[in-house]
Amino acid sequence: MSTLSPASRSGAAAGAAPRLLDLGIAVFAVVYLAEALFMAVSPHAFYKSIGGFDSYNPHYLRDVASFSAALGVGLAVSLGRPSWKVPMLAVATLQYGLHSINHLFDIDAANPRWTGYFDFFSLALATLLLAWLLRKALACERAPAFPHDR
């Protein structure tokens, strides 16, 4: 039997939501930054292992790396600036969603072919995770600051 009252249990659950939200944001920030670093430092290795669509173009890969870096930095900054969480998650969700759609159109164009399917489904899953994090961030933003204010 638990010694926690219903109010303290709901307060504990409310405290877990922001921690889980911050963990999710931190994971996506690291993913964006790692992807950016990989593309910028070794565009050919990125192309050969992950981005094998059409012809190799290191300039465009480094351009995309700059976008990924900006999103990763924005998500990382949002961990210290709560007012940035919802906007950054909204932009990241939109970016992943559009990226997923792009991969759906080119699903059979990857080399090797199976990576097109893997890329699409992993990007779509990431989009759903980001949308869930965005929903949590919106809920946290709307929640009262103190449990007794509910």
Side-chain angles (χ1 to χ4, degrees):
M1 178 172 220
S2 174
T3 60
L4 293 174
S5 68
S8 62
R9 272 193 296 256
S10 65
R19 286 192 302 274
L20 185 58
L21 175 62
D22 285 351
L23 175 63
I25 291 172
V27 166
F28 275 99
V30 168
V31 167
Y32 270 118
L33 292 169
E35 177 184 68
L37 186 63
F38 188 17
M39 282 188 274
V41 170
S42 189
H44 193 260
F46 179 88
Y47 172 79
K48 295 289 279 178
S49 61
I50 296 175
F53 290 87
D54 296 327
S55 59
Y56 171 65
N57 186 322
H59 174 83
Y60 286 129
L61 284 172
R62 287 190 299 273
D63 279 349
V64 173
S66 68
F67 302 136
S68 292
L71 286 165
V73 168
L75 285 170
V77 168
S78 79
L79 293 170
R81 293 184 176 265
S83 65
W84 283 39
K85 286 181 182 176
V86 168
M88 284 307 307
L89 284 168
V91 170
T93 303
L94 179 62
Q95 188 274 327
Y96 260 84
L98 294 172
H99 194 173
S100 298
I101 292 167
N102 186 46
H103 275 265
L104 179 60
F105 285 123
D106 292 336
I107 201 164
D108 287 329
N111 185 17
R113 188 173 174 175
W114 69 267
T115 61
Y117 290 88
F118 177 81
D119 290 349
F120 168 71
F121 287 108
S122 62
L123 288 166
L125 177 61
T127 302
L128 294 174
L129 288 170
L130 281 162
W132 181 81
L133 289 170
L134 175 58
R135 186 169 179 240
K136 289 292 179 197
L138 285 165
C140 287
E141 201 173 69
R142 292 183 190 125
F146 300 102
H148 67 281
D149 291 342
R150 292 179 197 185

